[in-house]
Amino acid sequence: MTDTAMLPESWRGVLGDELQQPYFKELMEFVEEERAKGPVHPPREEVFAALEATPYDRVKVLVLGQDPYHGEGQGHGLCFSVRPGVKIPPSLRNIYKEMHQELGTPVPDNGYLMPWARQGVLLLNAVLTVRGGEANSHKGKGWEKFTDAVIRAVADRPDPAVFVLWGNYAQKKLPLIDETRHVVVKGAHPSPLSAKKFFGSHPFTQINEAVARQGHPPIDWTVPNLG
């Protein structure tokens, strides 16, 4: 199915044409073949969850991740975020640690980042599906072309945004963004491999200062405890 109904309504005008492209039809066929063979994450109904949670005209911040969590029941379509009740992954734990040190926000008991998404933080992975248990298994199949179109759509809006590019992979997307109009916050990735460089980089202060300059209320980074 490559009908524009797959996309959340607010994104159809700017991304609907992508779904008609040959690469996207081939991508959908590939993903369906993968689902026929075994687990693919996230579930079909959550592939576009980031776009659903953050409408096109409400994007204030775009955070770019790489690909979904590949463990059963972890991811739900928002980068770095996991479902309630799932153990907080290492990169997100480091994000919380930096947030606590930088802003004094309490470290939450969960990794469910929907409160950020509802405030205009688009939590976008570059690749939107993954084979269960195999990281990067859907890399290079076409998702990158689609998510580049998402980045470009936000970058082309009259209303400026803040783009958060952590790590070398994300920073390869810099050519898609006009830095004279938008603010780019870049730095080391929060993964345990590069966390020493990530800690102390004060990304949340940079983001909120930029959001304020762009005329929007700052993001409340507090993630409520779920108990």
Side-chain angles (χ1 to χ4, degrees):
M1 174 177 156
T2 53
D3 186 83
T4 53
M6 293 173 65
L7 278 177
E9 189 174 354
S10 73
W11 291 90
R12 288 176 198 168
V14 290
L15 295 176
D17 288 350
E18 290 296 312
L19 275 60
Q20 307 308 320
Q21 301 299 318
Y23 87 86
F24 194 86
K25 294 180 181 182
E26 290 170 14
L27 170 62
M28 290 298 97
E29 288 170 6
F30 165 76
V31 173
E32 287 309 306
E33 286 169 7
E34 288 282 279
R35 290 194 190 278
K37 293 176 190 171
V40 169
H41 308 303
R44 191 180 282 105
E45 64 273 13
E46 291 181 320
V47 169
F48 295 113
L51 302 180
E52 185 75 55
T54 311
Y56 176 62
D57 58 357
R58 291 192 55 214
V59 178
K60 295 193 282 190
V61 180
L62 188 156
V63 178
L64 187 67
Q66 196 159 345
D67 76 330
Y69 295 118
H70 53 80
E72 185 65 42
Q74 281 187 303
H76 59 107
L78 276 59
C79 75
F80 293 109
S81 181
V82 290
R83 298 177 194 282
V86 173
K87 185 180 177 183
I88 299 169
S91 290
L92 182 54
R93 201 176 304 123
N94 288 335
I95 289 171
Y96 284 167
K97 185 175 179 182
E98 171 64 20
M99 240 169 54
H100 176 68
Q101 291 174 344
E102 182 185 343
L103 305 175
T105 53
V107 175
D109 64 3
N110 68 92
Y112 189 59
L113 301 183
M114 190 61 78
W116 295 1
R118 290 183 178 135
Q119 294 178 75
V121 180
L122 177 60
L123 296 166
L124 180 72
N125 276 313
V127 175
L128 298 187
T129 56
V130 67
R131 190 181 305 140
E134 293 184 49
N136 291 319
S137 48
H138 288 185
K139 183 180 177 183
K141 300 296 183 181
W143 277 126
E144 295 91 340
K145 191 168 183 178
F146 175 78
T147 54
D148 280 0
V150 175
I151 295 167
R152 209 177 284 112
V154 175
D156 286 349
R157 289 185 326 179
D159 194 17
V162 182
F163 292 82
V164 181
L165 306 178
W166 285 325
N168 294 333
Y169 180 87
Q171 287 162 29
K172 289 177 183 173
K173 306 299 182 180
L174 273 169
L176 302 175
I177 304 159
D178 179 356
E179 292 186 72
T180 65
R181 293 183 53 245
H182 303 282
V183 173
V184 176
V185 173
K186 52 186 187 247
H189 195 278
S191 107
L193 298 173
S194 50
K196 283 184 180 177
K197 293 179 182 176
F198 175 73
F199 293 138
S201 60
H202 295 164
F204 303 100
T205 302
Q206 292 180 62
I207 294 165
N208 272 352
E209 286 176 351
V211 165
R213 287 196 304 272
Q214 292 169 352
H216 301 295
I219 306 299
D220 178 1
W221 297 105
T222 307
V223 175
N225 283 337
L226 296 177

